[in-house]
């Protein structure tokens, strides 16, 4: 008799996974290894930025009082007493109607309080004239205007992107503490699977899930150990999963989680004594997605269907990995868009449709990526998002506003949104 499984809603499934995704710990890394990691400490300004009043332009540093009364008919002359390039400092005080040539980023002389851009002057021999008065503080980049010493700038738990690296460098973080990255194990199950280099033979297909998941992990900077492909054979598969469990922090298997004669993952979980968190999710593709846990390690049983496998990774594996690394915003950001073609297939389950979002005719539109059954592989190669159609809907017509989950986005959001 076929086992009856009770589907749980996607948000519940995500919550169950996240409850079991625990921190992999922290470590110290050098700044040049920080990109893509998660901050284990907040970035607090160690000093003011900029650290001194400086010139935002190439021009002349003057005392604003000396510019009083300047106009087109009453040009005020200044004599230039020296030059300050970026990295240099003024050597002597500025007297009445005196100026320094000053370059962008250079520290303002103590007694200067404004900068006149070259474009606002007429150069003379040994000096220049101006035709308007300047106020104190005009054209000055003030000490601390960007960040004040002691200010909390970026919270612990944030993903480090190139801008974060710039900030860390600004404060001299030659090394910093980050969340450890978990190590993933991947096993592709299926007697029908061939390696990428193999010729097709009757009844067989090439393993596309294994390489795809390696790439999905690589996109997140996660190291993986590949356990290759295994035929649908209970003893062998159990041994490989058991071996993997002793070597990695979590395991992703593909295939074998349904109710077919050769779907052995349920039996493997049982043999190993793993607790199954769920084995049916009210979603398409990927309703058979199964997640189990053993000794605190997650075992993701993704469907063998490529589209379902791809989606299962992005919905469940990705946020779990981010949480293991300590990330406080592990979910894909949501956006809405106008559906650009009919998508009328009714379904009682929440639908995730591979699609492309772009800006067209003044609005953000979403174009489904083509053939989108759960066994599709062509459409997963297109697109930059997933359209989400809630459960119980009868499909949507062109022009309807739909939710999108953004894939491959640099930073995420704190809450699951659909
Ligand atoms: P399963 O989840 O094992 O029932 O497999 C569902 C479908 O996905 C079947 O058509 C399999 O042949 C196919 N499939 C399973 N594993 C892979 C894989 N690694 N790469 C591509 N297709 C696969
Ligand atoms: Mg199979």
């Amino acid at each position: 008799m076929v086992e009856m499984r009770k589907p749980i809603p996607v948000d519940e499934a995500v919550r169950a996974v996240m409850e079991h995704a625990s921190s992999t710990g922290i470590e110290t890394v050098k700044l040049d290894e920080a990109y893509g990691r998660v901050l284990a400490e907040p970035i607090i300004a160690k000093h003011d930025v900029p650290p001194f009043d400086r010139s935002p332009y190439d021009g002349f540093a003057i005392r604003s009082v000396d510019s009083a009364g300047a106009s087109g008919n009453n040009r005020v002359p200044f004599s230039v007493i020296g030059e300050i390039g970026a990295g240099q400092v003024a050597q002597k005080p500025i007297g009445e109607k005196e100026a320094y040539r000053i370059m962008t980023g250079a520290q303002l002389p103590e007694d200067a309080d404004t900068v006149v851009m070259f474009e606002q002057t007429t150069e003379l021999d040994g000096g220049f004239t101006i035709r308007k008065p300047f106020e104190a503080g005009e054209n000055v980049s003030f000490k601390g205007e960007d960040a004040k010493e002691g200010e909390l700038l970026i919270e612990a738990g944030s993903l480090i992107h190139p801008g974060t690296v710039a900030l860390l460098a600004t404060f001299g973080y030659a090394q910093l503490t980050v969340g450890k990255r978990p190590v993933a194990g991947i096993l592709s199950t299926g007697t029908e699977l061939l390696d990428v280099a193999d010729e097709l033979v009757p009844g067989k297909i090439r393993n596309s899930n294994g390489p795809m998941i390696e790439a999905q992990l690589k996109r997140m900077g996660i190291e993986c150990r590949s356990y290759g492909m295994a035929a649908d054979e209970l003893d062998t598969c159990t041994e490989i999963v058991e071996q993997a469990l002793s070597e990695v922090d979590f395991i992703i298997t593909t295939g074998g989680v349904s109710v077919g004669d050769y779907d052995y993952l349920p039996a493997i979980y049982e043999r190993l004594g793993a607790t199954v968190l769920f084995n049916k999710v009210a979603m398409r593709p990927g309703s058979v997605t199964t997640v189990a846990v053993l000794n605190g390690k997650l075992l993701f049983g993704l469907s063998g269907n490529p589209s379902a496998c791809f989606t299962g990774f992005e919905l469940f594996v990705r946020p779990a990995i981010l949480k293991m690394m300590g990330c406080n915003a592990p979910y894909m950001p949501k956006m809405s868009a106008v559906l650009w073609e009919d998508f009328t297939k009714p379904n009682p389950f929440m639908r995730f449709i591979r699609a492309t979002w772009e800006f067209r005719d003044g609005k953000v539109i979403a174009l489904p990526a083509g053939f989108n059954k759960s066994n599709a592989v062509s459409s997963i190669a297109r697109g930059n998002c997933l359209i989400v159609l809630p459960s119980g809907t009868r499909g949507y017509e062109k022009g309807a506003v739909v939710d999108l989950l953004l894939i491959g986005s640099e930073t995420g959001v704190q809450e699951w949104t659909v």
Side-chain angles (χ1 to χ4, degrees), residues 69-333:
S71 70
N73 300 326
N74 178 33
R75 305 192 69 104
V76 175
F78 285 82
S79 57
V80 176
I81 58 166
E83 183 177 6
I84 317 167
Q88 299 171 343
V89 289
Q91 299 301 341
K92 52 184 183 240
I94 301 184
E96 201 184 333
K97 302 272 170 68
E98 286 183 343
Y100 267 102
R101 259 179 101 79
I102 190 163
M103 302 300 128
T104 305
Q107 182 169 338
L108 219 60
E110 237 169 63
D111 33 15
D113 59 7
T114 181
V115 172
V116 183
M117 286 186 271
F118 284 149
E119 297 86 329
Q120 296 172 312
T121 64
T122 305
E123 294 213 36
L124 297 174
D125 218 20
F128 59 92
T129 62
I130 56 174
R131 46 184 296 176
K132 78 170 208 60
F134 287 79
E135 281 171 32
E138 214 175 321
N139 296 344
V140 174
S141 171
F142 291 105
K143 177 178 191 290
E145 69 177 8
D146 194 344
K148 292 247 181 314
E149 182 176 349
E151 195 181 335
L152 170 65
L153 296 172
I154 307 287
E155 286 179 13
S158 305
L159 199 77
I160 299 174
H161 57 69
T164 328
V165 172
L167 192 58
L168 289 162
T170 297
F171 294 117
Y173 283 85
Q175 48 182 37
L176 61 146
T177 53
V178 298
K180 268 194 189 152
R181 284 192 282 224
V183 175
I186 308 181
L187 173 66
S188 307
T189 73
T191 303
E192 72 277 35
L193 300 181
L194 297 172
D195 188 66
V196 59
D198 293 337
E199 284 299 320
L200 283 185
V201 291
K204 307 274 185 182
I205 58 167
R206 293 192 188 94
N207 170 20
S208 61
N209 290 338
M212 173 183 74
I213 288 175
E214 282 191 38
Q216 284 173 299
L217 289 166
K218 203 173 269 180
R219 162 151 78 181
M220 301 182 67
I222 297 297
E223 189 195 327
C224 77
R225 215 165 277 189
S226 174
Y227 293 88
M229 304 178 292
D232 295 310
E233 211 281 307
L234 181 56
D235 291 337
T236 328
C237 286
T238 309
E239 276 167 34
I240 300 174
V241 172
E242 200 169 15
Q243 175 69 26
L245 270 169
S246 68
E247 298 174 344
V248 298
D249 295 307
F250 67 96
I251 296 175
I252 303 169
T253 57
T254 72
V257 280
S258 194
V259 292
D261 292 348
Y262 304 99
D263 289 330
Y264 288 129
L265 264 299
I268 294 172
Y269 299 140
E270 199 176 321
R271 275 194 181 186
L272 296 175
T275 307
V276 174
L277 303 181
F278 53 83
N279 58 13
K280 185 107 182 153
V281 186
M283 65 183 227
R284 284 251 143 59
S287 64
V288 297
T289 306
T290 299
V291 178
V293 62
L294 181 62
N295 301 331
K297 293 186 179 178
L298 283 161
L299 295 97
F300 294 94
L302 302 185
S303 164
N305 281 313
S307 212
C309 189
F310 175 88
T311 308
F313 181 96
E314 298 295 333
L315 296 186
F316 303 112
V317 185
R318 183 177 177 279
I321 292 174
L322 288 167
K323 186 167 174 219
M324 291 180 213
M325 300 201 299
C327 180
N328 59 15
Y331 301 112
M332 290 178 270

